[in-house]
Amino acid sequence: MGREFETVIGLEVHIELLTETKMYCSCKNTFGKKENTVLCPVCAGYPGTLPAVNKRAVELAVRAGLALKCDINRRFKMSRKNYFYPDLPKGYQISQFDAPIGENGFLEIKGKKYPIFDIHLEEDAGKLYGNGIDFNRCGIPLIELVTKPCFNSAAEAVDFLKELRLIMIYSGVSDCRIERGSMRCDVNVSVHRRGEPCGERCELKNVSGFSNVYDGILYEEKRQKTLVKEGKCVFSETRRWDPMKKESVILRSKEKTADYRYFDEPDFSEITLSEDFIEEVFSVLPMLPNKKRLYYESLGIQTQAAEDILIDPRKDRIFNKCVEMKLCGAKILSGLINGIAAEFLNVKSDYLNENNTDEFCLALCKIGRLREKGVISSTAVKLLFENHIASGADIDMLLKELKLEQVSDSDYIEDLVRRVLDENPKSAEDYRKGKTNVLSFLVGRCMKLSEGKSDPVLCREAILNSINDDSIQRGERNLK
């Protein structure tokens, strides 16, 4: 299609809040319970019941707004959004309309600001499954974040969602467990020929997962462009993304605001937030991802290594605790945490707890210090870590028991290198001819002969010195 068309994308992101109870009742905010067992007359919508606003949900919604540079409305109200759907037992949703909790925010990514129209507080609906409905999710507090139609590609939209997820996690607003549905979004896509007005938007409803958002946008772009090319109309529709078939399927025509017949919630009066309340919420905002990146950069960590830590809050907590111990450098720590620690925790996801985290971090710091000083090789790093985890034994004691200390004696290294070069004269000759990739092979032979105890850096230097000295001697003989 080339540059003939332009795509415009807007997002409506639903994020469940980390509260103990639901939005308007005392039912637990939980996941994974048997269908329709976390339910009471209030969240089930029984006539005559009276809801009560969850103060913690208001606090977290304000925190989200502050993290995203929104203007926080000191006075706001709740509204009834009326629509009939099987997963909504009341026949309406208590949400916000003309007085949301936050407005006019933005999220900056790679120097570009993406405007946020508003953040409003509301309750979640139930969940359809097979031939039944699970109402456990009814009433769980969430925020709906609505962006302006500010994205022009699937990649931009996904980058925004990834960064938003990190901000919500690090600010403590939500766990954003996409696989559990605690972060999902509606994607509005429209296309138009350049220079012409924007086309009708189609909404992909309740899309979960970054890859599904990306694929869904690409599909809608192609589908709508094809319709326009053929002179057909693109109708404003609500569609469902089918991740198996990789296509969108129409659900219904798109509702207009008037269809929801919003009116003020009669069971709540207007809510007023004091300046002290706003200041208190702001004061507990932790360091957010954009500042963490600058902090990591100041520690000398490579950009990708820092990002790998940042996308996993568990690794971030371990890393910062290790840095506080000041036993070894941040660069070594980042490699250990992204390497052996991440590999272990991916298998033993429930290993860390309040009782063993400090010990776990101390072990990583001790191993990092040994590696930093050249006492152990990269191979020994893994052996030390695995044996410590399995036995709980002290790192220094294991170092001696397993005889993992790296040999750096210059006479030993030179003798080792001479043996390797004598056994592999062709490799040495190949290096002289410019085949520099054989250097890794020769270092590997040194490591094998020494059973992994020789310092690979010193071996590499010794190999180069030996080959260069031989080359010089050959040159002198040729001159004679």
Side-chain angles (χ1 to χ4, degrees):
M1 300 291 180
R3 300 278 297 172
E4 180 183 358
F5 288 92
E6 185 173 24
T7 302
V8 179
I9 303 158
L11 300 174
E12 300 169 23
V13 191
H14 299 83
I15 299 170
E16 291 183 350
L17 304 178
L18 278 176
T19 59
E20 290 186 10
T21 57
K22 291 186 179 182
M23 184 66 207
Y24 303 115
C25 66
S26 59
C27 288
K28 292 294 183 182
N29 179 359
T30 186
F31 176 84
K33 300 295 184 181
K34 183 176 172 57
E35 293 86 353
N36 301 307
T37 57
V38 188
L39 206 59
C40 75
V42 175
C43 54
Y46 280 29
T49 55
L50 286 175
V53 174
N54 186 330
K55 181 182 177 182
R56 177 63 173 169
V58 174
E59 179 187 330
L60 292 178
V62 170
R63 189 186 296 186
L66 292 172
L68 294 166
K69 309 294 189 296
C70 288
D71 299 325
I72 304 300
N73 287 318
R74 269 51 174 177
R75 301 175 70 180
F76 62 89
K77 56 189 176 182
M78 308 306 294
S79 300
R80 286 191 182 183
K81 180 180 180 181
N82 297 274
Y83 65 94
F84 294 95
Y85 206 66
D87 60 6
L88 198 66
K90 292 195 293 277
Y92 62 87
Q93 179 187 44
I94 303 177
S95 180
Q96 292 180 314
F97 178 48
D98 55 345
I101 207 161
E103 298 177 281
N104 305 317
F106 68 88
L107 177 49
E108 185 171 351
I109 303 173
K110 299 174 183 176
K112 182 176 179 179
K113 290 183 178 180
Y114 296 95
I116 295 167
F117 182 72
D118 71 17
I119 292 176
H120 51 272
L121 184 61
E122 61 187 27
E123 60 180 332
D124 213 339
K127 184 177 181 181
L128 301 175
Y129 69 95
N131 296 320
I133 306 172
D134 180 10
F135 289 118
N136 284 349
R137 200 171 67 181
C138 280
I140 286 180
L142 57 78
I143 54 172
E144 181 175 354
L145 179 150
V146 182
T147 74
K148 293 186 177 180
C150 54
F151 309 101
N152 298 117
S153 71
E156 275 191 325
V158 169
D159 284 347
F160 177 92
L161 290 171
K162 287 181 177 179
E163 187 69 6
L164 175 64
R165 178 178 179 272
L166 287 180
I167 291 173
M168 293 297 99
I169 291 173
Y170 278 101
S171 62
V173 170
S174 173
D175 59 10
C176 291
R177 296 283 295 272
I178 293 173
E179 74 280 7
R180 293 185 174 185
S182 60
M183 179 181 179
R184 54 194 193 275
C185 70
D186 302 335
V187 185
N188 294 287
V189 183
S190 69
V191 300
H192 62 274
R193 283 193 169 91
R194 291 184 180 276
E196 295 182 358
C198 285
E200 290 286 348
R201 66 185 173 98
C202 291
E203 178 187 50
L204 296 177
K205 194 73 173 173
N206 282 334
V207 186
S208 294
F210 302 132
S211 61
N212 287 329
V213 170
Y214 187 86
D215 292 342
I217 291 173
L218 293 186
Y219 178 86
E220 272 303 298
E221 279 185 308
K222 183 177 180 180
R223 186 185 72 85
Q224 293 182 33
K225 286 175 183 178
T226 299
L227 288 173
V228 175
K229 281 272 192 179
E230 294 173 353
K232 298 177 181 177
C233 291
V234 176
F235 294 105
S236 185
E237 299 168 336
T238 296
R239 303 177 70 88
R240 177 179 63 85
W241 175 248
D242 188 327
M244 302 302 293
K245 295 181 178 179
K246 300 286 185 184
E247 63 182 24
S248 65
V249 182
I250 185 169
L251 290 174
R252 57 185 180 270
S253 60
K254 186 76 183 80
E255 301 92 341
K256 305 295 183 182
T257 300
D259 296 329
Y260 293 122
R261 297 177 291 112
Y262 282 98
F263 61 83
D264 292 352
E265 170 56 58
D267 290 330
F268 301 132
S269 58
E270 188 176 67
I271 297 171
T272 302
L273 304 179
S274 67
E275 291 301 322
D276 287 343
F277 178 81
I278 302 295
E279 285 297 324
E280 185 179 348
V281 174
F282 183 75
S283 68
V284 297
L285 265 180
M287 187 186 294
L288 297 178
N290 56 342
K291 289 188 177 179
K292 278 185 176 286
R293 289 186 180 92
L294 295 175
Y295 171 59
Y296 292 152
E297 186 179 320
S298 72
L299 295 175
I301 303 172
Q302 292 183 350
T303 301
Q304 187 56 55
E307 203 65 32
D308 289 341
I309 291 174
L310 192 62
I311 60 175
D312 186 343
R314 181 180 52 183
K315 289 198 292 185
D316 179 79
R317 286 193 295 272
I318 297 169
F319 174 73
N320 281 284
K321 189 174 284 289
C322 287
V323 169
E324 288 172 5
M325 291 180 176
K326 298 180 180 179
L327 294 177
C328 69
K331 191 172 182 180
I332 286 285
L333 285 172
S334 67
L336 293 176
I337 289 169
N338 284 326
I340 56 174
E343 184 180 336
F344 171 73
L345 293 173
N346 284 339
V347 177
K348 300 282 188 179
S349 58
D350 58 349
Y351 176 81
L352 289 180
N353 55 54
E354 292 181 1
N355 299 321
N356 65 10
T357 298
D358 286 349
E359 182 186 348
F360 184 85
C361 292
L362 181 60
L364 285 175
C365 287
K366 286 184 175 181
I367 292 172
R369 184 174 59 188
L370 291 171
R371 180 66 182 135
E372 198 170 44
K373 291 182 176 180
V375 177
I376 57 175
S377 67
S378 56
T379 304
V381 164
K382 188 170 184 181
L383 285 172
L384 262 182
F385 178 78
E386 289 176 346
N387 278 274
H388 168 74
I389 291 295
S391 66
D394 181 71
I395 294 296
D396 294 326
M397 186 181 75
L398 284 172
L399 179 66
K400 294 176 181 178
E401 283 186 1
L402 299 174
K403 299 179 181 179
L404 295 175
E405 193 165 351
Q406 195 165 241
V407 179
S408 55
D409 179 79
S410 58
D411 291 337
Y412 172 83
I413 296 293
E414 286 180 10
D415 181 62
L416 181 68
V417 166
R418 178 50 56 192
R419 285 173 58 194
V420 168
L421 292 177
D422 287 345
E423 291 173 5
N424 300 276
K426 185 177 184 304
S427 295
E429 190 61 35
D430 286 342
Y431 183 85
R432 293 187 190 96
K433 292 178 180 178
K435 296 180 180 179
T436 55
N437 60 322
V438 299
L439 184 58
S440 296
F441 167 75
L442 293 171
V443 172
R445 295 300 302 168
C446 289
M447 297 303 293
K448 185 172 182 180
L449 277 177
S450 65
E451 297 180 340
K453 294 178 182 178
S454 59
D455 187 328
V457 175
L458 295 180
C459 288
R460 185 178 187 278
E461 292 176 357
I463 291 169
L464 290 174
N465 289 336
S466 181
I467 291 176
N468 289 334
D469 287 346
D470 287 348
S471 296
I472 292 171
Q473 291 173 10
R474 286 186 180 191
E476 290 176 348
R477 285 196 297 270
N478 289 337
L479 288 173
K480 291 177 182 180

